[in-house]
Amino acid sequence: MKDWDSWLQGHDWRPVDLDEFKALPQDEKLRRIRHSSAHVMATALRHVRPEARFAIGPATEHGFFYDVRLDAPLSPEEIEQVQEGMQQVSKEKQRFEVAVVPHDEAVAFFQDKGEQYKLDILEKLADQTVTFYRNGDFVDLCAGPHVPDTGFCQHVKLLASSPAHWRGEQNPSLQRVTGTAWESRDALKNYLAFVQEAKARDHRVLGAALDLFSFHPWAASALWHPKGLLIRNELGRFWRDLMPEYGYVEILNPILYKPELFHTSGHWDHYHEDMFIVRDAAGEPDFVMKPMNCPDTMLYYKSQAHSYRELPLRVAESQILHRNEVTGALHGLMRTRSFVQDDAHIFLSPDQVQNEIQELLALVDRFYSVFGLDYSMKLSTRPEKFMGEIAQWDAAEAALKAAMDGAGREYWIDEGDGAFYGPKIDISIQDSLGRKWQCGTIQLDFQLPQRFELEYTAQDGTRQTPIVIHRAIFGSIERFIGVIVEHFAGAFPTWLAPVQAVVLPISDEKHLDYAHEVTARLRKAGIRAETQQFESLNYRIRQAEKAKVPYILVVGDREKEEGTAAVRRHKVKEQRVLSVNDVLAELTAKLATRELDVHVARMAAKFNESSAATTEYRAY
């Protein structure tokens, strides 16, 4: 058996240069701290679980993770032991050193150690040499870079251990040990406060607490309760109110189609494994539950002849879609197997693309501003494998860039990440916790119109093929609701709240009739209002606050006599006495304008500001 310890010592191990590290930008220092913290965690984990076999351990936006093969999941007590071990490794200030190793020797080393995941990684690497990093007794296949020593990784906290998949496997075989790492105690403290707030805002927790929706392992998506459905329907009304203003027509197509639809569109070859397929008696595909709205919208266009005078033709559809997501990818409302998208397909001529994109960007801005959502955009350009002519792609990308420049918003270009059928704009919304969710998209498509042989009569009488723009703003309605539940922490703007006002009589005996009268007037004006009675007034006020009802109206002798109500807003200490007419006027104005009448606290600012502080790094 080869003496691997001697073999390791025989290499030229070079320490990470402290001066070079100190000269790095702050964000790069923090990224290295996080990457190195994954190695510190692995060092400590091996002493708690010697059987551990390691896959990958990258830095993430706010920390790190390491995917590890274990005989059994880590217990809470073991996670605490690993945390304590990390603190000890940090105190020891173990040097990070790097060595260049021949590829074949690296393979032999990890074969002997039984590190199958490292062998899988090496199999994908064509280089003749690879790099190893070591600290203390832990040696890892790693491209780096790292901090000079483990003492830079002292402000670290393990957060969770959960199942993880290795390279697309159906069933998870790994445990993902996740943590966060920062450059100062204050930055770590602020981030942990943010994590606690995020847990409190989890849409799965709030959905149950506010009686909006629930989940069941037999269901492909959420079970929508009456209050949750009110929110969903209100969002649908918002969407349908906007569409005619921007010149859209709405259609409704079936859910089930013959496979030929997806053979024609090209989706079958790339996507059939993710489709729910209904098979005939012989086991052959008979019908497919559609996973997207694009192909059958082409059938709608093809059902009639079209002229250039009709273009742009804007066609919206929000049908239920089904995708056979792997179990490990499912997450509450954020990713489900059954969902609805606010899709639209715009058929237009090449010279209309730029103006249409500019109008779409204006619509996106108007849309997200209603919810107080910040957003960012990226332009994804021609990939290595694409369909169509390069000149066509170049013209389309130039039109998208010109439209985005004209919109005056910052964006970044992701070279080569476009869809195979055309360039696209991906829009990520940022919630009050600073997390980004890819919801909206604007995609140019040259291919579907050709595959379905779509045409329009041009001004010169010739038959031409239209370009199609795919666009979604909500994206998945389910995901969008999950995002805004967490964004607002369940305290929705009045127009979106499932119960907009609750009327509380001080005494059921003396004031209940008046409370019912006020509630009836509110309901007649289209306000979702309830009367609550029986329990003590203070208890009912607490319950209304807990339910995050925007308006709490308390009525007693004085209010009954004067035709008024004592009005409290959710989480507002001030109480006003208003006439019922004034209450009606205030509420109906908010509903008509969909006013954003809640304060959206930006929780991410705390730890982002902390991490921007300059830190003095010390020598060994």
Side-chain angles (χ1 to χ4, degrees):
M1 177 181 288
K2 188 164 185 173
D3 182 357
W4 290 110
D5 289 338
S6 298
W7 175 81
L8 286 171
Q9 294 304 323
H11 286 85
D12 179 20
W13 291 94
R14 291 175 288 108
V16 175
D17 188 271
L18 176 63
D19 291 332
E20 287 182 9
F21 178 75
K22 290 172 67 174
L24 293 171
Q26 185 67 17
D27 59 347
E28 176 59 21
K29 290 177 184 175
L30 189 53
R31 191 182 75 82
R32 293 192 185 193
I33 288 171
R34 288 167 176 164
H35 185 188
S36 299
S37 294
H39 285 233
V40 171
M41 189 282 297
T43 307
L45 178 62
R46 283 185 60 188
H47 292 277
V48 176
R49 285 291 194 89
E51 84 278 10
R53 295 294 179 264
F54 297 94
I56 54 172
T60 61
E61 185 179 6
H62 297 134
F64 62 90
F65 69 79
Y66 218 126
D67 286 346
V68 188
R69 179 70 176 262
L70 300 170
D71 290 345
L74 289 170
S75 68
E77 293 76 17
E78 288 175 318
I79 291 176
E80 186 59 36
Q81 290 174 26
V82 176
Q83 177 76 44
E84 292 171 359
M86 292 178 69
Q87 295 302 321
Q88 181 59 39
V89 172
S90 175
K91 287 178 183 177
E92 293 172 4
K93 299 179 183 178
Q94 300 172 1
R95 291 174 181 265
F96 275 97
E97 299 175 311
V98 59
V100 177
V101 177
H103 187 283
D104 58 341
E105 293 184 22
V107 169
F109 175 78
F110 285 114
Q111 279 178 336
D112 187 74
K113 300 297 182 183
E115 294 282 2
Q116 182 59 49
Y117 303 106
K118 300 300 179 183
L119 294 173
D120 288 353
I121 295 169
L122 284 166
E123 187 178 355
K124 302 290 184 181
L125 298 177
D127 301 335
Q128 292 185 348
T129 59
V130 295
T131 52
F132 280 17
Y133 274 84
R134 73 178 181 183
N135 61 281
D137 61 359
F138 182 69
V139 179
D140 203 2
L141 172 69
C142 181
H146 285 280
V147 297
D149 70 70
T150 59
F152 289 86
C153 305
Q154 57 183 305
H155 306 297
V156 178
K157 177 68 175 176
L158 291 185
L159 299 176
S161 177
S162 58
H165 296 259
W166 178 243
R167 294 189 170 174
E169 64 186 2
Q170 286 294 314
N171 297 311
S173 63
L174 302 172
Q175 286 290 305
R176 174 163 295 179
V177 184
T178 306
T180 188
W182 297 85
E183 78 288 4
S184 71
R185 182 179 289 105
D186 285 346
L188 175 61
K189 180 181 177 182
N190 286 336
Y191 181 74
L192 292 178
F194 157 81
V195 169
Q196 288 305 116
E197 178 67 17
K199 287 181 179 178
R201 291 177 181 230
D202 188 314
H203 72 280
R204 295 165 297 181
V205 174
L206 286 174
L210 299 176
D211 194 23
L212 304 178
F213 45 77
S214 58
F215 299 93
H216 193 282
W218 296 350
S221 187
L223 305 175
W224 291 92
H225 299 196
K227 290 180 180 179
L229 189 58
L230 280 169
I231 294 173
R232 189 180 179 121
N233 289 342
E234 198 64 55
L235 290 174
R237 276 190 287 273
F238 168 61
W239 182 76
R240 286 186 170 88
D241 285 351
L242 278 182
M243 292 306 98
E245 182 180 339
Y246 286 83
Y248 287 81
V249 296
E250 186 178 2
I251 62 172
L252 182 64
N253 288 329
I255 294 174
L256 284 174
Y257 282 94
K258 288 289 188 180
E260 285 77 9
L261 174 68
F262 303 102
H263 284 295
T264 301
S265 70
H267 288 96
W268 187 268
D269 292 337
H270 301 283
Y271 211 82
H272 74 274
E273 291 182 355
D274 297 316
M275 296 179 182
F276 287 101
I277 300 171
V278 180
R279 299 184 181 274
D280 61 20
E284 294 299 318
D286 191 18
F287 279 94
V288 173
M289 299 178 76
K290 69 172 181 174
M292 70 280 294
N293 289 313
C294 318
D296 57 350
T297 304
M298 304 302 114
L299 298 183
Y300 163 76
Y301 181 94
K302 198 175 176 69
S303 68
Q304 300 173 359
H306 297 279
S307 163
Y308 72 93
R309 295 184 180 90
E310 300 171 59
L311 307 184
L313 176 60
R314 305 177 182 95
V315 183
E317 183 182 14
S318 55
Q319 179 59 283
I320 299 174
L321 304 176
H322 296 85
R323 294 181 185 175
N324 193 15
E325 303 278 5
V326 296
T327 301
L330 302 176
H331 177 71
L333 292 177
M334 303 309 191
R335 180 161 291 189
T336 64
R337 291 189 172 114
S338 176
F339 59 97
V340 171
Q341 281 198 168
D342 67 318
D343 277 329
H345 295 85
I346 304 166
F347 301 86
L348 69 173
S349 60
D351 61 308
Q352 294 172 324
V353 169
Q354 184 174 329
N355 285 340
E356 190 65 23
I357 296 296
Q358 286 179 327
E359 287 194 21
L360 282 174
L361 294 176
L363 174 59
V364 165
D365 193 68
R366 179 178 173 185
F367 203 98
Y368 291 145
S369 67
V370 170
F371 304 93
L373 290 164
D374 297 327
Y375 64 94
S376 58
M377 299 187 294
K378 73 171 182 177
L379 171 60
S380 300
T381 59
R382 185 177 68 246
E384 185 176 340
K385 295 181 179 179
F386 64 93
M387 297 179 68
E389 301 296 326
I390 289 180
Q392 192 179 34
W393 276 82
D394 289 345
E397 289 173 8
L400 291 182
K401 288 178 183 177
M404 296 177 79
D405 289 337
R409 288 192 64 95
E410 290 185 2
Y411 65 93
W412 60 283
I413 297 177
D414 192 357
E415 297 286 356
D417 196 46
F420 68 91
Y421 50 75
K424 61 178 181 173
I425 300 169
D426 285 327
I427 305 163
S428 296
I429 58 178
Q430 182 169 311
D431 65 18
S432 60
L433 294 175
R435 300 167 302 183
K436 291 183 177 180
W437 305 92
Q438 204 276 301
C439 290
T441 187
I442 300 171
Q443 303 180 7
L444 283 188
D445 189 344
F446 319 122
Q447 308 311 319
L448 272 187
Q450 294 179 11
R451 296 181 74 98
F452 281 88
E453 300 178 345
L454 304 186
E455 294 182 333
Y456 67 94
T457 302
Q459 192 168 4
D460 62 3
T462 60
R463 306 295 293 169
Q464 300 292 328
T465 301
I467 292 174
V468 167
I469 296 176
H470 305 254
R471 80 104 182 97
I473 305 177
F474 280 138
S476 158
I477 303 295
E478 287 77 4
R479 175 183 288 186
F480 190 82
I481 291 174
V483 169
I484 62 173
V485 166
E486 298 184 3
H487 177 63
F488 292 122
F492 299 101
T494 302
W495 72 271
L496 194 54
V499 178
Q500 294 162 333
V502 62
V503 184
L504 309 179
I506 293 175
S507 165
D508 289 353
E509 183 179 346
K510 294 191 293 183
H511 311 127
L512 184 58
D513 288 344
Y514 179 63
H516 282 315
E517 179 186 326
V518 173
T519 300
R521 290 187 62 186
L522 293 172
R523 288 177 171 175
K524 189 174 182 180
I527 296 158
R528 295 187 287 273
E530 296 178 353
T531 302
Q532 292 183 0
Q533 59 185 108
F534 300 124
E535 303 291 346
S536 71
L537 179 62
N538 285 337
Y539 176 82
R540 284 177 285 150
I541 290 173
R542 289 196 302 271
Q543 289 300 104
E545 287 283 359
K546 189 176 178 181
K548 305 179 190 290
V549 178
Y551 278 77
I552 302 172
L553 279 57
V554 178
V555 294
D557 289 335
R558 177 184 171 186
E559 289 77 20
K560 181 178 179 180
E561 182 180 340
E562 297 177 355
T564 61
V567 180
R568 302 168 57 126
R569 293 296 315 278
H570 177 64
K571 286 198 171 181
V572 176
K573 292 182 179 179
E574 178 189 358
Q575 180 172 290
R576 300 171 295 157
V577 177
L578 298 176
S579 71
V580 176
N581 286 338
D582 286 344
V583 174
L584 285 168
E586 184 174 311
L587 279 166
T588 52
K590 289 176 180 288
L591 304 193
T593 60
R594 294 188 170 96
E595 179 184 333
L596 183 63
D597 62 344
V598 294
H599 173 67
V600 181
R602 304 291 175 180
M603 288 295 298
K606 270 193 172 183
F607 65 84
N608 283 340
E609 288 170 6
S610 311
S611 66
T614 301
T615 303
E616 182 63 34
Y617 289 90
R618 78 279 177 277
Y620 297 107

